[in-house]
Amino acid sequence: MAFDLILRNARLATSDAARPSVDIAIADGRIAAIGERIAGDGENVDAGGRLVSPGLVESHFHLDKARILDRCEPPKDRRTGDHMKRTAAIKHTFTVEDIYTRARDTLEQCVLNGVTHMRTQVEVDPNVGLRGFDAIERLARDYAWAIDLQPCVFLQEGWTNSVGGEANVVAALKRGAPVVGGAPRYDTDHPGQIRRIFALAQEFNVDVDIHLDGGYTTHDLDIFQVCDITDRIGWGGRVAIGHGSKYSCLPQAELEALGRRLAASGVAVSVLPATDLFNNGRHMEHSVMRGVADANALIAQGANCSISTNNVMNPFTPFGDCSLVRIANMYANVVQRGTEGDLTECFAMLTDRAARILRRGDYGIAAGNPADLVVWNAKTPAEIIATVAQPLMGFKRGRRLFVREMAKLLQP
Ligand SMILES: [Zn+2]
């Protein structure tokens, strides 16, 4: 047999002492075979017995407003949480070229951290129009060799109260955007916005991914309307929400009931710990709440969840090195999850579970799937999260994307 490449001594999440590693043979960008000591021609790459996982999936990331701290600082007073307003105030200065450059620099860092799939939220509010969509469309084409980029178009600053906003969403959907989103908390009419999002999802046959239930009050959750409509129109498995900070304020029994409801409706939750930690509890002077939903608890009730980065270097999230593993480690600290099983689930939320939100049917290490692979400086998924392990090599459709040398201590 002739292969393009054989990745040898690869430890898989399913490996055990009897069969600690396998070879993964790649041909025409796809996994051709998985087995022990695969014979055949092709370039040999040694994974050295390290864990090989599928490429990471960022299910919720705003490339279009990354890296804008130079023109929009975080608030000086920590009790102020007006990041949305201050970002909105500079959006008119965004040009296609400017968005493209910031998004590209951010995307490259994500790829170097092992990300091979991303759903990126794209704002089309009237103050930015379709410039973000133009930039992301071009970026998706230019970087198709490194990452599958899936845009989700939405209005950040209001919908039912926005003049000209919906026309922009429709224009982007007509140009092929596969996901429609929203942010009802910044709308004067939450239920009205949610109804418009689903109406467009049905009209254009696209998936739904809404910023939902940020904040800390629990008497006014929008998730039940989202589940009701999802049930009514049969959109289960095609709907996700981002944040869900309010779920962190629910008593355990109510959180578990929510998990069962999400599972029954097929509505997924992307937890965004960096942003939620930075923004929640600003109304509190002390004993500041965390605002990070316990996705493991929802998963235990059958729901699907992911962990994602959301933003880097902007007023919503002024930090970030685009390491999704670091975000998951932070999440595990905040929700106080540390068992082997918990951490294995955390890694699943960066991989298989997030891929289900993006509805990637061809995702994972199996013969026939695209060879999107990462070699980690770790032996198990749980160890990756626990140690914030470095990705040592990345592959997109069988082509090497990067090789990272481990730092060596220089002895005297
Ligand atoms: Zn977001």
Side-chain angles (χ1 to χ4, degrees):
M1 280 288 284
F3 301 111
D4 297 328
L5 188 145
I6 305 172
L7 183 58
R8 298 201 182 272
N9 300 314
R11 190 184 178 96
L12 303 181
T14 51
S15 292
D16 54 26
R19 198 169 85 148
S21 67
V22 293
D23 295 342
I24 301 172
I26 297 164
D28 298 323
R30 291 184 179 270
I31 297 171
I34 303 166
E36 282 171 280
R37 286 183 291 281
I38 291 175
D41 297 330
E43 187 191 354
N44 281 263
V45 175
D46 187 7
R50 294 189 172 93
L51 187 83
V52 176
S53 81
L56 302 184
V57 181
E58 283 275 15
S59 60
H60 188 124
F61 203 117
H62 295 257
L63 288 172
D64 61 353
K65 59 184 175 192
R67 297 173 187 244
I68 53 171
L69 277 185
D70 52 340
R71 44 195 129 154
C72 197
E73 286 183 341
K76 289 186 172 61
D77 172 11
R78 68 153 286 271
R79 306 278 291 281
T80 314
D82 59 347
H83 39 274
M84 203 285 283
K85 269 194 190 136
R86 286 179 306 103
T87 307
I90 61 152
K91 261 160 70 177
H92 67 278
T93 67
F94 290 6
T95 65
V96 175
E97 215 43 53
D98 160 48
I99 297 169
Y100 183 92
T101 305
R102 289 185 287 99
R104 179 199 63 205
D105 293 350
T106 308
L107 192 69
E108 288 185 357
Q109 287 306 310
C110 293
V111 170
L112 287 169
N113 280 292
V115 177
T116 58
H117 297 80
M118 179 187 288
R119 174 177 286 177
T120 187
Q121 298 276 335
V122 185
E123 301 181 11
V124 292
D125 297 280
N127 55 3
V128 73
L130 290 169
R131 299 197 292 280
F133 191 71
D134 289 340
I136 296 300
E137 208 175 43
R138 207 175 98 204
L139 190 68
R141 268 199 312 272
D142 292 353
Y143 278 76
W145 54 272
I147 188 163
D148 288 301
L149 204 51
Q150 182 186 79
C152 169
V153 288
F154 83 113
L155 299 171
Q156 171 76 69
E157 299 160 24
W159 188 310
T160 65
N161 50 342
S162 161
V163 179
E166 183 167 314
N168 291 342
V169 177
V170 167
L173 290 170
K174 283 185 175 162
R175 278 166 59 175
V179 191
V180 62
R185 75 182 295 190
Y186 299 113
D187 202 309
T188 46
D189 179 4
H190 294 207
Q193 174 169 144
I194 291 167
R195 283 194 298 273
R196 287 309 305 149
I197 293 165
F198 277 97
L200 290 181
Q202 272 193 297
E203 186 182 337
F204 288 90
N205 191 22
V206 294
D207 295 353
V208 172
D209 197 335
I210 312 176
H211 295 83
L212 208 80
D213 290 335
Y216 56 92
T217 54
T218 56
H219 63 279
D220 54 356
L221 300 185
D222 288 324
I223 190 68
F224 299 111
Q225 184 195 1
V226 166
C227 289
D228 286 344
I229 300 179
T230 301
D231 293 344
R232 183 161 50 74
I233 70 171
W235 236 243
R238 303 185 66 176
V239 179
I241 72 102
H243 292 294
S245 301
K246 290 179 174 183
Y247 314 152
S248 72
C249 302
L250 288 172
Q252 188 67 19
E254 287 176 45
L255 183 66
E256 288 174 3
L258 174 63
R260 291 191 290 275
R261 180 67 204 272
L262 292 167
S265 296
V267 174
V269 174
S270 290
V271 178
L272 311 169
T275 310
D276 290 339
L277 279 168
F278 191 71
N279 295 303
N280 279 289
R282 285 179 179 264
H283 60 295
M284 303 172 86
E285 184 194 62
H286 65 277
S287 303
V288 176
M289 58 173 282
R290 304 168 188 217
V292 178
D294 184 351
N296 289 72
L298 298 172
I299 287 173
Q301 300 303 318
N304 187 32
C305 297
S306 69
I307 301 167
S308 202
T309 298
N310 195 32
N311 286 310
V312 291
M313 309 297 281
N314 78 15
F316 294 81
T317 320
F319 315 119
D321 54 2
C322 302
S323 164
L324 183 53
V325 166
R326 188 180 59 79
I327 296 285
N329 173 280
M330 179 164 66
Y331 159 87
N333 270 287
V334 171
V335 300
Q336 300 169 334
R337 295 276 183 181
T339 68
E340 175 94 13
D342 289 338
L343 298 185
T344 302
E345 200 65 271
C346 286
F347 192 69
M349 285 194 267
L350 315 183
T351 50
D352 304 86
R353 289 187 170 281
R356 270 166 58 193
I357 292 177
L358 272 62
R359 295 206 297 139
R360 298 296 313 208
D362 58 358
Y363 179 88
I365 301 181
N369 282 352
D372 299 342
L373 304 168
V374 180
V375 180
W376 296 93
N377 185 32
K379 290 237 177 327
T380 66
E383 188 190 342
I384 293 174
I385 303 298
T387 64
V388 195
Q390 295 287 303
L392 299 182
M393 260 183 265
F395 300 83
K396 183 66 178 173
R397 287 184 283 277
R399 184 185 162 276
R400 241 178 304 184
L401 287 171
F402 64 87
V403 176
R404 189 190 304 265
E405 296 292 332
M406 291 302 295
K408 284 197 186 84
L409 191 63
L410 303 175
Q411 300 281 357

